[in-house]
């Protein structure tokens, strides 16, 4: 974590479902950002959301192949004031609001890795499979105004295969404080050489097996990314969400034989039932 067709789709759905949401009593989320799950309805204690999402996305980083994937959605959360502990899919984490202006989020999750079979056209043949591995994700957001209308965002992802970081700005649309509405973020993404080579490097052994030239990546600027999130409450229990993501790779990444496209994209939509 795609393109502008996804933005148009979720904006159209926003118009369809917006009126029922207005009739609800508004609940206060930890922060009113649609990209941050909060099923607590503003109350302390346990909360639980369960659903499914459908994603249309590139098959792997740098791929020119696309596919549809069904993913579980939702999380188990426990809230205590300005702190939320959560388990969402393969991620276990904590997020906390400080001074009403800083949002911290720390999670341990898993990188799915990459398999040769991810390319139906055989573009990964000979490169071998990459194992799934644990990774630490640390994110910080800082609001620039009183109502989280505009904010700065920074994120670091690190594990056994290098480190990726991003920094950018975001804007929230709508006046709701229950976490519904829409949000857009523009970020610059950087990676170290280890992370870059995991996705786009080719060793001598891989070169011999695949026929692709040996490629040694260096760290630095990776891409510019644009991410749009949408979330709307249909009624007391049902919620619709959508996401569109576009990442345009730097020239260094595009020069890798693995990068058969100069961008990565994803668009998704789904429903969650809040218990």
């Amino acid at each position: 974590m795609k393109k502008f067709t996804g933005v148009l789709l979720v904006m159209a759905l926003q118009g369809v479902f917006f009126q029922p949401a207005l009739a609800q009593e508004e609940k206060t989320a930890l922060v009113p950002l649609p990209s941050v799950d909060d099923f607590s309805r503003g109350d302390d204690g346990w909360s639980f959301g369960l659903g499914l999402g459908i994603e249309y996305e590139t098959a792997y980083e740098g791929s020119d192949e696309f596919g549809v994937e069904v993913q579980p959605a939702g999380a188990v959360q426990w809230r205590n004031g300005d702190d939320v502990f959560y388990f969402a899919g393969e991620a276990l984490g904590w997020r906390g609001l400080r001074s009403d202006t800083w949002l911290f989020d720390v999670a341990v999750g898993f990188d799915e890795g990459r398999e040769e079979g991810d390319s139906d056209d055989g573009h990964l043949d000979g490169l071998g499979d990459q194992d799934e591995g644990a990774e630490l994700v640390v994110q910080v957001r800082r609001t620039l105004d009183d109502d989280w209308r505009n904010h700065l965002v920074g994120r670091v992802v690190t594990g056994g295969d290098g480190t990726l970081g991003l920094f950018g700005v975001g804007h929230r649309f709508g006046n709701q404080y229950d976490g519904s509405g829409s949000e857009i973020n523009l970020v610059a993404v950087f990676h170290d050489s280890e992370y870059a080579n995991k996705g786009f490097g080719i060793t001598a052994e891989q070169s011999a097996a695949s026929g692709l030239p040996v490629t040694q990546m260096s760290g630095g600027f990776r891409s510019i990314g644009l991410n749009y999130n949408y979330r709307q409450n249909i009624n007391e229990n049902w919620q619709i969400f959508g996401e569109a993501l576009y990442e345009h790779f730097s020239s260094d990444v595009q020069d890798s034989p693995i990068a058969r496209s100069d961008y990565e994209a994803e668009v998704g939509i789904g429903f969650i039932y809040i218990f």
Side-chain angles (χ1 to χ4, degrees):
M1 347 324 160
K2 271 171 182 168
K3 212 174 175 184
F4 297 106
T5 53
V7 175
L8 295 175
L9 175 62
V10 294
M11 290 181 72
L13 287 167
Q14 183 175 4
V16 173
F17 292 105
F18 183 65
Q19 292 301 322
L22 288 177
Q24 301 177 49
E25 178 185 354
E26 190 167 63
K27 304 294 185 178
T28 303
L30 185 65
V31 289
L33 297 178
S35 61
V36 180
D37 288 337
D38 189 342
F39 306 131
S40 68
R41 309 181 195 272
D43 300 323
D44 286 353
W46 291 100
S47 58
F48 180 49
L50 181 63
L52 285 175
I54 300 176
E55 298 176 350
Y56 181 70
E57 60 184 353
T58 48
Y60 57 90
E61 290 185 339
S63 175
D64 57 358
E65 303 169 58
F66 286 80
V68 175
E69 187 173 1
V70 177
Q71 294 276 8
V76 178
Q77 300 177 332
W78 184 78
R79 180 169 177 175
N80 181 22
D82 289 336
D83 296 282
V84 173
F85 298 87
Y86 62 89
F87 176 71
E90 295 182 321
L92 180 65
W94 160 85
R95 64 176 61 103
L97 181 65
R98 296 296 179 266
S99 303
D100 292 326
T101 56
W102 291 90
L103 178 67
F104 298 91
D105 196 323
V106 180
V108 176
F110 288 91
D111 176 14
E112 296 180 354
R114 188 186 68 197
E115 299 180 355
E116 289 188 4
D118 288 342
S119 173
D120 293 335
D121 295 337
H123 297 311
L124 299 177
D125 290 352
L127 297 181
D129 296 340
Q130 295 177 351
D131 296 331
E132 183 179 82
E135 59 184 17
L136 176 67
V137 182
V138 179
Q139 181 170 259
V140 179
R141 302 198 198 196
R142 172 65 160 86
T143 184
L144 300 176
D145 33 48
D146 294 335
D147 56 0
W148 286 86
R149 178 71 56 200
N150 302 284
H151 62 271
L152 302 176
V153 59
R155 181 187 304 161
V156 174
V157 180
T158 187
D161 293 306
T163 300
L164 176 142
L166 64 81
F167 180 78
V169 295
H171 176 78
R172 177 176 68 91
F173 302 93
N175 298 314
Q176 305 95 312
Y177 286 86
D178 59 356
S180 63
S182 57
E183 171 193 346
I184 193 166
N185 293 272
L186 177 66
V187 299
V189 187
F190 304 85
H191 53 196
D192 64 11
S193 59
E194 186 176 3
Y195 198 98
N197 280 292
K198 179 187 70 171
F200 299 101
I202 301 173
T203 66
E205 182 179 359
Q206 290 173 323
S207 175
S210 66
L212 298 174
V214 174
T215 302
Q216 183 69 30
M217 302 291 296
S218 58
F221 176 64
R222 169 191 169 97
S223 60
I224 288 288
L226 186 67
N227 177 252
Y228 177 87
N229 287 274
Y230 165 80
R231 190 179 302 274
Q232 190 62 52
N233 297 317
I234 301 173
N235 54 38
E236 183 68 17
N237 297 104
W238 282 102
Q239 187 179 89
I240 185 174
F241 68 91
E243 180 181 20
L245 185 149
Y246 177 83
E247 182 182 8
H248 191 84
F249 295 127
S250 68
S251 57
D252 287 343
V253 172
Q254 292 180 35
D255 288 341
S256 167
I258 295 176
R260 303 185 61 84
S261 176
D262 58 4
Y263 69 91
E264 181 177 358
E266 175 185 332
V267 61
I269 189 170
F271 294 87
I272 293 176
Y273 184 85
I274 303 174
F275 293 84

